C-alpha cells in the first residue's frame, strides 16, 4: 500500500470523513447500488435523479464504458499497467478485476482522496497472485505525488493506461489541463489515456438541472464541450482511438453490460426512485439520455 495509507489510525480516518457534505465518489456509489455512503450523499443523488429521472443512465453507461475500455486496452492494446485516478468506491468489475481476468500479471494502481474510499480500499487490493494492485490516498491535483508513489508499483518504462473516468469535470480549466499534461508527460510511448466527461452538448436542459443540484452542494462541476474534451488528448500529442470522442453508449458498444438485479414488479412499486435504479437495465438507452463523452487515445 503506497504511502502506508491502509495503516492510518482509524480515529484519524473517521475524523477525515465529513458526513455533512456530499462527496462525488459516494454519490456515484448510490447510483451504482452500493452501500458505502451517507444520507447527505443519498440526498444529493435523489436531487439529481429528480432533476433528470433518466440520469442514472449516465452513471451506469459511464461505468460500462470503463469496462469496455479496459477490456479493449488489455485484449487489443497489450496494456498490462493501469493508473486509475478518481477510483471511487469498490464495486463489481473494478479495473483490476477486468484487466487481470485478461492478463493475470496486470498491475493496477488506484488513486482517490475520499477517506471513505480509503476505508474500503482493501477490497480494491484483491489482486491475483501474478498481478499486483495498490492504492494511493491522494488528490488528482497532486500529480507529482501520484506519479512518485505509483512508481512503487508501476514501471513507467513500459506502457501505462491512465484512467480518468468521470473525474475531470470536478476540476476547473486552470488546473485540469495542466494536471493532465503533467500526468501524460510521465507516460512512455505506447501508453493510453482513457477519459469520460460530462457535457452539455448532448442534452443541455437535463444536465444543467443536475449541475445545479451539485453546485448547490458545493461541488465544482464543469461541463465541457466535445472540443474541450478532445483538448485533453490533442494538446498532449495523443492520437485519438476510433471512434474518437463520442457519447459513452456509442463507444464500441458490445451488448455485454451487466444485467440488473431481478425484482418482482410488486416489490419495485414499494421502492423510491433511488432504490429502483439498481433494478433497472440500461439497454433501453437513447441519445436523449446520455450527457457523457468517452474516448481513449494513444501516446505515440
Amino acid at each position: 500500500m503506497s504511502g502506508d495509507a491502509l495503516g492510518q489510525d482509524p480515529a484519524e480516518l473517521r475524523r477525515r470523513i465529513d458526513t455533512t457534505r456530499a462527496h462525488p465518489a459516494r454519490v456515484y456509489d448510490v447510483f451504482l447500488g452500493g452501500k458505502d455512503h451517507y444520507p447527505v450523499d443519498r440526498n444529493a443523488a435523489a436531487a439529481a435523479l429528480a432533476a433528470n429521472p433518466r440520469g442514472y443512465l449516465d452513471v451506469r453507461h459511464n461505468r460500462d464504458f470503463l469496462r469496455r475500455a479496459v477490456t479493449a486496452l488489455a485484449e487489443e492494446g497489450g496494456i498490462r499497467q493501469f493508473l486509475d485516478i478518481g477510483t471511487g468506491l469498490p464495486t463489481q468489475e473494478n479495473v483490476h478485476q477486468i484487466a487481470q481476468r485478461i492478463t493475470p500479471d496486470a498491475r493496477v494502481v488506484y488513486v482517490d482522496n475520499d477517506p471513505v474510499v480509503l476505508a474500503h480500499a482493501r477490497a480494491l487490493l484483491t489482486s491475483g497472485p501474478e498481478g499486483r494492485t495498490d492504492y494511493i490516498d491522494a488528490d488528482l491535483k497532486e500529480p507529482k505525488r501520484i506519479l512518485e508513489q505509483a512508481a512503487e508499483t508501476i514501471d513507467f518504462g513500459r506502457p501505462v493506461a491512465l484512467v480518468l473516468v468521470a473525474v475531470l469535470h470536478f476540476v476547473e480549466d486552470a488546473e485540469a489541463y495542466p494536471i493532465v499534461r503533467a500526468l501524460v508527460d510521465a507516460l512512455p510511448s505506447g501508453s493510453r489515456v482513457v477519459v469520460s466527461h460530462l457535457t452539455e452538448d448532448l442534452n443541455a436542459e437535463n444536465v444543467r438541472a443536475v449541475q445545479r443540484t451539485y453546485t448547490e452542494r458545493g461541488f465544482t462541476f464543469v461541463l465541457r464541450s466535445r472540443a474541450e474534451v478532445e483538448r485533453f488528448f490533442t494538446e498532449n500529442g495523443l492520437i485519438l482511438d476510433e471512434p474518437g470522442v463520442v457519447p459513452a453508449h456509442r463507444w464500441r458498444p458490445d451488448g455485454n453490460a451487466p444485467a440488473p438485479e431481478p425484482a418482482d414488479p410488486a416489490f419495485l412499486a414499494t421502492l423510491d426512485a433511488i432504490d429502483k435504479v439498481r433494478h433497472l437495465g440500461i439497454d433501453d438507452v437513447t441519445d436523449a439520455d446520455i450527457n457523457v463523452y468517452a474516448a481513449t487515445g494513444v501516446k505515440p
Side-chain angles (χ1 to χ4, degrees), residues 65 73 160-164 180 184 187 191-195 232-233 238 240-241 295-299:
F65 159 69
L73 296 190
V160 179
L162 171 64
V163 179
L164 298 167
V180 175
V184 172
L187 303 179
S191 291
R192 309 298 274 269
V193 175
V194 180
V195 171
F232 287 116
F233 294 87
L238 301 171
L240 280 163
D241 298 317
T296 68
V298 61
K299 185 171 182 177

Side-chain angles (χ1 to χ4, degrees), residues 108-231:
V108 179
V109 173
Y110 294 105
V111 183
D112 209 294
N113 69 331
D114 181 4
V116 175
V117 179
L118 174 60
H120 293 272
R122 289 189 190 278
L124 292 169
L125 304 179
T126 54
S127 175
E130 298 174 56
R132 184 174 171 187
T133 59
D134 207 347
Y135 181 88
I136 299 171
D137 178 29
D139 194 293
L140 173 63
K141 297 178 182 180
E142 307 172 286
K144 181 178 179 182
R145 178 183 170 198
I146 289 171
L147 291 167
E148 287 175 352
Q149 294 192 19
E152 297 176 17
T153 300
I154 286 176
D155 177 1
F156 282 96
R158 298 189 296 124
V160 179
L162 171 64
V163 179
L164 298 167
V165 165
V167 65
L168 291 170
H169 44 244
F170 296 116
V171 186
E172 298 285 1
D173 286 352
E175 293 180 291
Y177 291 104
I179 287 167
V180 175
R181 185 179 308 117
L183 292 167
V184 172
D185 281 350
L187 303 179
S189 175
S191 291
R192 309 298 274 269
V193 175
V194 180
V195 171
S196 68
H197 200 296
L198 281 166
T199 182
E200 61 183 351
D201 284 359
L202 304 173
N203 301 289
E205 184 177 350
N206 288 349
V207 77
R208 285 174 187 159
V210 173
Q211 181 186 40
R212 285 192 295 272
T213 70
Y214 287 144
T215 55
E216 287 168 0
R217 288 163 171 80
F219 289 7
T220 298
F221 208 78
V222 183
L223 302 172
R224 293 189 172 95
S225 67
R226 176 185 272 116
E228 289 168 328
V229 175
E230 285 180 348
R231 183 180 159 196

